[in-house]
Amino acid sequence: MVEDLLHSQPGILNFGIFFLLATVLLLVILGFVTYAILAERKVMGFMQLRQGPNQVGGRWGLLQTVADVLKLLLKEDTIPKLADKPLFIIAPVIAFAPSFIVIAAIPFTDKLQFADLNIGLLYYIAISGLTTIGMVTGGWASNNKYALLGGMRAAAQMISYEIPLVMSVLGVILLTGSLNLNDIVAAQENVWYILLQPVAFIVFIIASVAELNRVPFDLPESENELVAGFHVEYSGFRWAFFMLAEYVYMFAMASLTTVLFLGGWLPLFSFLDFIPGAVWFALKFMFVVFLLIWFRSTFPRIRADKLMEFAWKILLPIALANIFLTAIIKEIFKLL
């Protein structure tokens, strides 16, 4: 019945169903963001030999992030006198909206997906790049030199690391012959692509961290250089929107990594297929999120000039070499 309604002509009922499902997804993601922040603080505390949040919500600090969000919502919303007010107001929305939109194309299981697009991977890459416009807009509209520098760094970093990110997934596309994310998962039924494309996986993870503006690639908002970068003039819920975009992208990028290289919802071994696909996806997803948190706790921030050199002189040639080798190996197997 629901499938018939979803595939029927657009109407009020059809719109209502999609709106309700999108609202549920948003609530799930907000729950993830709330406890991903807590998990990050607890894991970092463990790695730095301290406890992390342990007051609000019991010894585990389960309500600490909730309290932080309430504090942000109660803070005064300030707008600099000389700022470009319309752009200043809309910039956080521009930064956040693409992070939520891209999740529509990600298949969490073979039956749990909002949009089964034939070009799902291309859709993700194209839409995710729009967030940088929000960062640059916020930095420029703030009329602050630190914010402008942060916005410019965000644009330069996105352009530099988007290329090796795309190049790294071309090997996966060559093996699968499709841009459809469901097809990519189905092609990993016998072996996951992390085993067939280990170099691509490493390049993809590194470029993903840079795209997320996380340590060690957090140059656009480096506190000891640019105070807070492109969002230095933001406060309250507008600042929270920028932070929300970052963690929603963590959710999206971890999900995409799971789909591209870890077999999505497919089990580790065939005899474990009695475990639901959603459970397998969640376990792999949490592994990738832990990696991102681990990187933040381990690596120091990279220098700005080294950041650009690393993308163009190291990651890009490695990604190109991987494409070349993948194409050769695929042709050899065809001949055999």
Side-chain angles (χ1 to χ4, degrees), residues 73-331:
L73 295 177
L74 294 174
K75 276 191 171 183
E76 181 182 0
D77 177 29
T78 59
I79 299 178
K81 183 177 180 181
L82 299 178
D84 188 321
K85 291 185 180 180
L87 292 180
F88 185 87
I89 291 170
I90 200 174
V93 179
I94 298 175
F96 167 73
S99 69
F100 184 62
I101 294 172
V102 296
I103 297 174
I106 295 176
F108 300 103
T109 69
D110 54 345
K111 297 179 180 178
L112 183 57
Q113 183 182 19
F114 277 79
D116 185 7
L117 304 177
N118 288 330
I119 54 168
L121 183 55
L122 179 62
Y123 169 87
Y124 182 101
I125 294 170
I127 298 297
S128 63
L130 297 177
T131 291
T132 307
I133 298 175
M135 296 179 180
V136 176
T137 301
W140 184 85
S142 298
N143 194 29
N144 180 295
K145 60 182 179 181
Y146 295 118
L148 181 59
L149 283 171
M152 293 171 64
R153 282 185 177 185
Q157 187 167 313
M158 186 278 291
I159 293 170
S160 299
Y161 282 86
E162 190 84 11
I163 297 174
L165 181 78
V166 174
M167 292 294 182
S168 65
V169 301
L170 287 181
V172 173
I173 296 171
L174 280 173
L175 293 177
T176 308
S178 174
L179 287 167
N180 186 297
L181 295 176
N182 286 289
D183 293 344
I184 292 174
V185 173
Q188 299 177 69
E189 187 172 0
N190 296 320
V191 58
W192 297 351
Y193 282 155
I194 190 174
L195 300 176
L196 297 179
Q197 292 280 298
V199 175
F201 174 75
I202 294 172
V203 173
F204 183 84
I205 285 290
I206 294 173
S208 297
V209 176
E211 289 288 298
L212 292 171
N213 293 326
R214 291 178 60 84
V215 178
F217 304 106
D218 62 333
L219 272 297
E221 52 184 89
S222 52
E223 292 85 357
N224 56 349
E225 300 173 24
L226 303 180
V227 189
F230 60 89
H231 53 65
V232 64
E233 295 288 0
Y234 283 88
S235 63
F237 73 96
R238 299 191 200 281
W239 180 86
F241 258 88
F242 280 116
M243 291 298 100
L244 181 62
E246 177 181 329
Y247 281 91
V248 173
Y249 266 125
M250 180 194 286
F251 178 94
M253 194 62 79
S255 299
L256 185 65
T257 304
T258 302
V259 168
L260 293 179
F261 295 100
L262 301 178
W265 58 86
L266 298 177
L268 182 62
F269 300 106
S270 58
F271 64 85
L272 295 174
D273 58 1
F274 64 91
I275 300 175
V279 175
W280 283 113
F281 190 97
L283 290 173
K284 299 171 188 178
F285 168 84
M286 288 189 290
F287 167 73
V288 178
V289 171
F290 176 76
L291 276 183
L292 297 176
I293 297 173
W294 189 3
F295 292 164
R296 180 175 179 180
S297 306
T298 305
F299 297 110
R301 181 180 297 122
I302 192 170
R303 219 169 66 190
D305 57 331
K306 299 296 183 182
L307 176 87
M308 307 304 287
E309 286 184 7
F310 186 65
W312 293 102
K313 296 183 179 180
I314 298 178
L315 286 187
L316 183 58
I318 291 175
L320 287 171
N322 181 70
I323 297 170
F324 183 69
L325 289 174
T326 301
I328 291 177
I329 293 172
K330 186 177 180 181
E331 288 302 316

